[in-house]
Amino acid sequence: MDSAQSLQSAHAGHTAHAAGALRASRTLRSLRSIKRRDNFTGYLFLLPCFAFFGVFLFYPLAKSVYLSFQITNPRGEVAAYAGLDNYASLFASGAAFLATLKATVLFTLYTVPAGIVIALVLAVMTHAKRPAMKAFQYAFSLPVVISAGTGAAIWILLFHPSAGMLNYFLGLLHLKPVFWLADPKWALVSVSMMTVWMNLGFNYIVLLGGLRGISDDIYDSLKLDGPGPFRSAFGVLIPLLSPTLFFLLIVSVIGAFQTFGQIHILTKGGPMDSTNVMVYRIYQEAFVNFRFGSGSAQALVLFAVILALTLAQFFWLEKKVHYQ
């Protein structure tokens, strides 16, 4: 009897174990089915985004890679296979390529630091939650809604050699007028001044949001401790703003290397190619000279330069970012 009962007990335990394993297997299959269904639903919602990027980003990138190895006719049709000749001719140009690269780097150095510093100063001065600050915040944010064409039309009037406001103020200071857009020494500086003003709205909004994200307790402790404005700025606020500044630096550098609108309207790359940055040279090569193969090669070189600069910034500067 004891052996029979033990066998029945063992059989019942085995049956219960098998039933439990079956239920666990069914539960696992059900969870996998739910996960697959959720993944399918998620990808279904992302499909319009993938289609948009595929049409307007990935396909043009692949087309540029393809055309960079070809010689094209004025209609953009492939005429012959060029191999690496387009890249070789670009680097063989030597002085012309270096002059374009120098103008682009100088334009970036003129616009990025100045734009961030000015926006940071304005954000620090107006971040207090007071009704009177609303008007200043609105005024400093306004350039973000102005297009490059509208901004260029405004600054053309300011840069006018005889009727412009800038030379008028120089005259009040008994200084000689400056031919802002016609002098090779001043043309790039002039375009940079307009670009700093145009980017001020975006930079100001981002930095103001970063300052608003800092706890009020920190501001209160700074008022009580009284370490001084410079020590408060460089010892507390800037380290806390470092993620915002890091993001803004990367975006600003990429934007500076891609600047086109104001240069096309104000100077068209002149005078004497002093404002002929890389993007405008690509435009001239592809849509003025109709050498789409060479223009595509230059666009890919520009992409490589921007990618290298972005990776360098992540490698060297992200270590100094203090994430909260």
Side-chain angles (χ1 to χ4, degrees):
M1 291 292 295
D2 293 339
S3 61
Q5 290 178 353
S6 62
L7 288 174
Q8 290 178 355
S9 177
H11 180 70
H14 179 72
T15 303
H17 178 73
L22 181 61
R23 286 195 299 271
S25 177
R26 289 177 179 175
T27 302
L28 182 61
R29 287 198 300 269
S30 178
L31 291 175
R32 288 177 178 175
S33 176
I34 293 173
K35 184 178 180 180
R36 285 195 298 268
R37 186 169 62 251
D38 291 343
N39 289 338
F40 176 76
T41 304
Y43 285 121
L44 189 63
F45 281 108
L46 288 175
L47 186 61
C49 183
F50 287 150
F52 180 83
F53 279 103
V55 172
F56 294 102
L57 180 63
F58 300 124
Y59 172 75
L61 179 61
K63 187 71 173 180
S64 296
V65 174
Y66 170 72
L67 290 177
S68 67
F69 298 103
Q70 313 293 331
I71 296 176
T72 59
N73 59 25
R75 291 179 295 179
E77 299 173 349
V78 175
Y81 176 73
L84 297 176
D85 290 347
N86 290 324
Y87 295 94
S89 61
L90 172 63
F91 293 109
S93 60
F97 175 73
L98 290 178
T100 301
L101 184 60
K102 178 183 177 182
T104 307
V105 172
L106 286 176
F107 178 79
T108 303
L109 293 176
Y110 289 160
T111 57
V112 174
I116 294 177
V117 170
I118 295 174
L120 179 59
V121 172
L122 295 177
V124 170
M125 294 172 59
T126 60
H127 81 282
K129 297 179 181 179
R130 298 174 183 173
M133 293 300 175
K134 294 293 183 181
F136 292 101
Q137 293 170 5
Y138 171 77
F140 296 147
S141 304
L142 192 60
V144 77
V145 301
I146 298 178
S147 65
T150 304
I154 296 172
W155 281 83
I156 284 178
L157 298 177
L158 295 177
F159 287 136
H160 195 278
S162 59
M165 291 296 295
L166 296 180
N167 280 343
Y168 171 75
F169 289 123
L170 291 179
L172 294 179
L173 298 174
H174 303 287
L175 298 176
K176 295 181 179 180
V178 175
F179 294 93
W180 297 98
L181 300 177
D183 190 344
K185 296 179 181 180
W186 286 98
L188 189 62
V189 176
S190 303
V191 178
S192 300
M193 290 168 57
M194 176 198 163
T195 304
V196 170
W197 174 78
M198 281 193 58
N199 295 336
L200 181 63
F202 175 77
N203 295 347
Y204 174 78
I205 292 172
V206 172
L207 290 172
L208 184 64
L211 288 173
R212 290 286 181 86
I214 299 175
S215 174
D216 293 335
D217 296 336
I218 295 178
Y219 293 116
D220 295 337
S221 62
L222 290 176
K223 292 178 182 179
L224 293 175
D225 296 339
F230 289 99
R231 188 176 177 184
S232 299
F234 291 97
V236 179
L237 293 182
I238 290 181
L240 292 175
L241 275 177
S242 56
T244 305
L245 292 171
F246 180 64
F247 161 77
L248 204 57
L249 178 63
I250 291 178
V251 172
S252 299
V253 170
I254 294 174
F257 270 79
Q258 295 178 337
T259 299
F260 172 78
Q262 55 265 45
I263 291 177
H264 179 61
I265 297 173
L266 293 177
T267 63
K268 290 183 169 52
M272 297 175 61
D273 289 336
S274 58
T275 61
N276 193 19
V277 295
M278 295 186 71
V279 170
Y280 197 75
R281 179 175 176 175
I282 293 170
Y283 162 77
Q284 289 178 318
E285 190 72 10
F287 299 102
V288 176
N289 300 326
F290 297 105
R291 291 196 287 262
F292 294 99
S294 177
S296 298
Q298 294 183 35
L300 292 176
V301 171
L302 176 61
F303 170 76
V305 171
I306 294 176
L307 180 62
L309 285 175
T310 304
L311 293 177
Q313 291 176 86
F314 270 99
F315 181 78
W316 294 106
L317 297 179
E318 193 177 19
K319 300 175 182 178
K320 300 180 180 180
V321 176
H322 300 277
Y323 295 102
Q324 297 182 7

